[in-house]
Amino acid sequence: MSARASILQKLRDAPRQERARPDLASHFQRFASLDDEVARLRHWAAMMRAVKTDILWTREAEWDAALAGWLAAHPQDSILLSDTPHGRRLAQCLEGRADAPRIVWFEREVDGWKAELFDIAAGFTSVRCGIAATGTLALWPDEAEPRTMSLVPPLHIALFDAAALYPDFYSALQGENWSAGMPTNALLISGPSKTADIQQTLAYGAHGPRDLLVLAVLPPHIAIHDVEGETR
């Protein structure tokens, strides 16, 4: 028997010991203080703003108008939209506005329009849920709204239903039933793209968008002034 075969055989013959599964629920109990809905939102906002994220609190009935107003105040040459309910709704709101960016639809294979794609100023996507403890958004890219939309444009605009904010990552996994099926590229985003691997100097936009705007849609029972607090 060769030395390699002998080593492998010894590994196969070694006694095996079953290990107990870790108690993840107990481990994440330290985030129980974020179970209060308003406290959870305020902590999430503070964490995201600490890493150069802009948050625009809004309501379901008016998020498109709120974003149109923001775009008028922060002009963008173009915006990338998906053929989804929220993409079509924003397009309808921007239609006919003199101060609106040029709308580009993501409706082609990437290889066929790379030059144009990398010239688009902003990308608009939805968000699956949020994580309060780390100030994070979870994105669920699919064929209609692929990863490219949140990766390539220098400004990423994310539409977030704030009712889907969980205290911690474990709660999000359980609450959203991730084990039932995940996309090939689930994303956790905690601010714009940033790196400090060159001379230990923090730089934004090195591997993705350099700016992030979150349209945080509050549920009706939470007032905007309650979540703003001292997070600005």
Side-chain angles (χ1 to χ4, degrees):
M1 180 181 295
S2 67
R4 177 178 178 274
S6 178
I7 292 171
L8 291 175
Q9 188 60 48
K10 288 180 180 179
L11 291 174
R12 296 188 189 99
D13 295 340
R16 299 183 181 183
Q17 180 180 0
E18 293 293 334
R19 295 185 176 273
R21 294 177 64 87
D23 185 358
L24 294 178
S26 296
H27 174 75
F28 283 100
Q29 272 299 107
R30 67 186 189 277
F31 297 116
S33 60
L34 297 178
D35 283 344
D36 175 78
E37 197 171 7
V38 172
R40 190 188 309 164
L41 285 162
R42 292 181 65 174
H43 181 82
W44 168 82
M47 294 290 286
M48 294 221 78
R49 283 177 170 147
V51 288
K52 200 173 172 279
T53 297
D54 290 323
I55 298 173
L56 184 59
W57 301 107
T58 185
R59 302 289 185 185
E60 170 58 32
E62 60 193 37
W63 65 257
D64 50 347
L67 179 52
W70 189 92
L71 289 170
H74 305 80
Q76 307 294 321
D77 291 335
S78 52
I79 187 168
L80 184 61
L81 302 182
S82 59
D83 187 15
T84 56
H86 54 274
R88 292 189 295 270
R89 175 175 165 179
L90 180 59
Q92 185 175 10
C93 180
L94 294 176
E95 186 178 358
R97 292 183 61 125
D99 53 9
R102 175 175 59 91
I103 293 174
V104 181
W105 294 98
F106 199 106
E107 55 188 5
R108 288 175 281 171
E109 293 294 331
V110 174
D111 290 340
W113 61 309
K114 283 184 178 180
E116 180 184 355
L117 181 60
F118 278 81
D119 281 336
I120 296 173
F124 177 59
T125 74
S126 61
V127 171
R128 175 67 177 257
C129 64
I131 301 168
T134 52
T136 300
L137 300 174
L139 272 63
W140 216 250
D142 57 18
E143 185 176 349
E145 202 167 77
R147 169 68 172 120
T148 308
M149 294 188 65
S150 63
L151 176 67
V152 173
L155 168 62
H156 176 206
I157 303 172
L159 178 63
F160 171 44
D161 180 359
L165 179 65
Y166 294 88
D168 52 73
F169 184 47
Y170 179 73
S171 299
L173 291 175
Q174 298 294 105
E176 296 294 314
N177 195 24
W178 283 26
S179 62
M182 294 178 60
T184 57
N185 196 2
L187 303 175
L188 297 178
I189 295 177
S190 297
S193 170
K194 51 191 175 294
T195 183
D197 57 359
I198 301 175
Q199 298 182 345
Q200 297 183 349
T201 301
L202 182 62
Y204 286 89
H207 308 296
R210 64 174 178 266
D211 294 298
L212 173 62
L213 170 67
V214 182
L215 279 173
V217 181
L218 287 172
H221 62 280
I222 295 181
I224 291 178
H225 64 79
D226 287 340
V227 293
E228 275 295 273
E230 299 177 357
T231 57
R232 277 202 176 279

